[in-house]
Structure formats: C-alpha cells, structure tokens
C-alpha cells in the first residue's frame, strides 16, 4: 500500500498524444484513457460526434507525492491553449 497522488485530466482528444509525451518526460508510464467524454465547463457544453475525434478524453494516472507539480507545469501550455482540467488528489494505491 502506497500513498500517491491521483491525477485526473480531461483534454481535447486531439491533444492526448501531447499529454502522454509529457507523462513520459516526467517518468509516468502507467495511465488509463477513457474516450468520448462529454459535459459542460467554462467554455460551454462539449458534445461529440461518435464518428470523429472532436470530443474530450479522460486520463487517469498516479505519481508519487511531490512529483505532481512537475507534471502540472508540463501540462500548463496544453491546458491554457486548448482547455481542459487537471485534478490532483491524495489516494492510496494497493497495487503500485
């Protein structure tokens, strides 16, 4: 059992590869992706045509406590330019 930081990110689907490159840069190699995320945020409602990649993707990962700031600063250019959200919370991992 390890205490970790749970990181939840929602970004435009077209930016997922850019996010994953930044994961690799800071040493994060494990993650989960959930596509076709819709909802409502600061920029309004996000809907998706299931036949294209115009929607959002949810990314879930973890890191050791203290490493989340490094990732946050790597993601800032993407989040500021394209929108999205990055949530960080404390978690306990039983299989880390």
């Amino acid at each position: 059992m390890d205490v970790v930081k749970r990181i939840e990110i929602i970004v435009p689907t077209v930016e997922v590869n850019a996010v994953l490159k930044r994961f690799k840069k800071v040493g994060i190699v494990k993650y989960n992706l959930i596509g076709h995320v819709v909802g409502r945020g600061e920029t309004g409602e996000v809907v998706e045509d299931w036949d294209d990649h115009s929607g959002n993707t949810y990314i879930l990962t973890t890191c050791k406590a203290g490493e989340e700031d490094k990732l946050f600063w790597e993601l800032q250019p993407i989040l500021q330019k394209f929108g999205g959200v990055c949530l960080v919370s404390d978690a306990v991992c039983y299989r880390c």
Side-chain angles (χ1 to χ4, degrees):
M1 175 172 76
D2 294 319
V3 176
V4 296
K5 294 294 182 176
R6 175 186 174 126
I7 302 171
E8 300 173 83
I9 302 164
I10 298 175
V11 293
T13 298
V14 297
E15 292 305 312
V16 168
N17 286 334
V19 170
L20 298 180
K21 284 181 186 178
R22 282 156 175 87
F23 277 18
K24 188 175 182 179
K25 184 176 179 180
V26 300
I28 294 174
V29 296
K30 298 177 184 178
Y31 55 85
N32 295 94
L33 303 174
I34 301 173
H36 305 290
V37 176
V38 297
R40 183 165 179 79
E42 289 179 3
T43 58
E45 190 170 11
V46 175
V47 295
E48 181 173 335
D49 181 348
W50 291 92
D51 293 331
D52 66 19
H53 298 288
S54 63
N56 290 329
T57 296
Y58 171 91
I59 306 168
L60 172 65
T61 191
T62 60
C63 68
K64 293 179 183 177
E67 295 179 350
E68 68 277 9
D69 286 341
K70 192 177 185 183
L71 178 61
F72 173 77
W73 289 112
E74 285 292 327
L75 295 176
Q76 275 307 292
I78 295 171
L79 296 173
Q80 288 179 353
K81 184 173 182 179
F82 300 101
V85 65
C86 177
L87 303 171
V88 179
S89 57
D90 294 327
V92 176
C93 183
Y94 291 96
R95 297 199 59 184
C96 291

